[in-house]
Amino acid sequence: MKEEKAYQQNEREQTNAVCVLCGALTKYRADAPIYEREYYVEAGGQLCRQCYYALYIKGIQ
């Protein structure tokens, strides 16, 4: 039982963050501090590069 929980915890720690808009996997681990991630929007979540640029860069022009 303990081994299974340890495996699940280890599995969860190794997963990458998912873009909150399109669901794509990002290159950042889900347990990485947000100050180390690019394209993280506070109170919004992690975005992939494409969604970030579509919202913030193209939206400005």
Side-chain angles (χ1 to χ4, degrees):
M1 204 68 152
K2 286 184 181 181
E3 291 175 10
E4 185 175 326
K5 283 188 176 186
Y7 175 77
Q8 289 174 344
Q9 183 178 4
N10 190 29
E11 190 72 22
R12 184 174 52 241
E13 290 173 355
Q14 293 179 359
T15 59
N16 286 16
V18 176
C19 176
V20 295
L21 285 180
C22 71
L25 284 177
T26 65
K27 64 180 182 177
Y28 303 101
R29 289 180 38 164
D31 62 346
I34 59 173
Y35 61 84
E36 292 181 355
R37 303 182 196 184
E38 289 182 295
Y39 318 121
Y40 186 87
V41 178
E42 209 167 312
Q46 185 67 50
L47 296 174
C48 66
R49 183 177 185 268
Q50 290 82 8
C51 289
Y52 182 86
Y53 278 95
L55 285 173
Y56 292 100
I57 306 303
K58 291 182 182 177
I60 294 172
Q61 298 173 348

